[in-house]
Amino acid sequence: MGITDLLDKIKKEWEVLKGQDAKDKFFQNENTFPDEATAQREFVRTKQKLFDVNRWSHLEGINSTFQLYDQQGHPTARSRVQLGDYMQIILPATNIENWVMVVEVTEEENAAQFIVRPCPKPEPQKQPDEDGEVKHFFTDEATSTFRVLREGNTIYGFEIGRDEKPNNQGDQSGGRGLLNTLISEGGWAGFQDLQWNKITRYYVHLEEAKES
């Protein structure tokens, strides 16, 4: 998909999201540089920030903890997500694990993104249980798209959440129904704007991570 097509897609997504249920969310930040050559250089770093999930935990202030796991369910220090990887997300002031799987990774010269979906906790040496308990406060219908792109001398960062429904029904909730409702409708609902605004600002270099 070319840069023009991707921009058109984003505009259409935003128009759709504005007219849909508030459980679909769209976050954006942008940064304009003095010239296109500078933006091209800075976009290389933008893509590094996008794909290096473990660095997200080092942003200043109140922040979730993000840990990348490989396809076998082992924590990894790898600085780039891959298709089939897992992410563990722990919200501030909690020890509750939330898990997502990377279901798509795309990179072009002037655009890149990856998409995650809630999933069961990965267990090393075991096959993923697609019908088992989803370790996340949203159901496995939800997706989050983390996307960056460059147009001219402007760099854009996006987080797009779709079908964000509380995971509070049946076996999938794994006995966390009430807790998941409280998180998704309470704690996360109030923190979501801050978290995704912080990360999309980080993508476009309006904010930087602390040195680990």
Side-chain angles (χ1 to χ4, degrees):
M1 181 182 295
I3 187 71
T4 301
D5 292 337
L6 192 53
L7 280 170
D8 289 342
K9 180 181 179 182
I10 289 169
K11 291 174 183 177
K12 289 177 182 177
E13 284 178 336
W14 177 225
E15 291 304 316
V16 169
L17 291 177
K18 285 195 296 185
Q20 286 187 346
D21 191 312
K23 299 308 179 186
D24 288 331
K25 299 292 181 67
F26 185 98
F27 300 91
Q28 173 188 338
N29 270 293
E30 63 187 69
N31 194 2
T32 299
F33 296 87
D35 52 66
E36 188 167 354
T38 301
Q40 287 175 327
R41 290 195 300 271
E42 291 299 320
F43 192 66
V44 173
R45 194 160 64 97
T46 287
K47 290 192 286 187
Q48 292 172 344
K49 288 180 172 183
L50 170 72
F51 290 129
D52 190 357
V53 169
N54 291 333
R55 288 287 295 163
W56 298 2
S57 299
H58 299 291
L59 292 173
E60 297 281 356
I62 300 173
N63 195 56
S64 299
T65 300
F66 299 89
Q67 173 63 54
L68 187 66
Y69 282 68
D70 64 22
Q71 292 91 333
Q72 287 72 48
H74 300 289
T76 175
R78 185 168 13 90
S79 61
R80 182 184 173 88
V81 299
Q82 297 178 1
L83 184 66
D85 280 349
Y86 298 89
M87 288 168 54
Q88 180 196 64
I89 305 168
I90 299 179
L91 302 186
T94 78
N95 59 0
I96 301 166
E97 297 181 359
N98 297 284
W99 290 89
V100 295
M101 174 184 276
V102 179
V103 297
E104 179 182 317
V105 180
T106 305
E107 182 177 5
E108 299 178 359
E109 182 180 358
N110 295 311
Q113 70 175 32
F114 69 94
I115 300 175
V116 300
R117 185 184 297 277
C119 67
K121 179 179 179 178
E123 299 289 348
Q125 311 305 323
K126 291 178 61 177
Q127 293 294 319
D129 183 1
E130 294 181 358
D131 298 319
E133 173 188 349
V134 172
K135 284 284 190 178
H136 197 282
F137 49 87
F138 290 143
T139 70
D140 61 3
E141 297 174 1
T143 60
S144 288
T145 299
F146 302 96
R147 177 185 294 160
V148 295
L149 63 88
R150 182 189 68 83
E151 184 183 31
N153 59 344
T154 300
I155 295 175
Y156 301 87
F158 303 91
E159 192 282 333
I160 302 167
R162 286 190 176 278
D163 298 318
E164 296 183 345
K165 302 173 185 177
N167 179 20
N168 56 13
Q169 300 295 320
D171 294 340
Q172 192 179 81
S173 67
R176 280 179 38 168
L178 177 59
L179 178 61
N180 287 340
T181 299
L182 292 174
I183 294 173
S184 61
E185 300 292 340
W188 178 243
F191 179 63
Q192 188 177 26
D193 289 8
L194 174 63
Q195 181 69 86
W196 298 145
N197 182 62
K198 183 191 295 283
I199 284 180
T200 54
R201 283 175 56 84
Y202 170 63
Y203 291 163
V204 301
H205 316 313
L206 295 173
E207 190 159 334
E208 297 295 340
K210 297 177 289 185
E211 291 299 323
S212 56

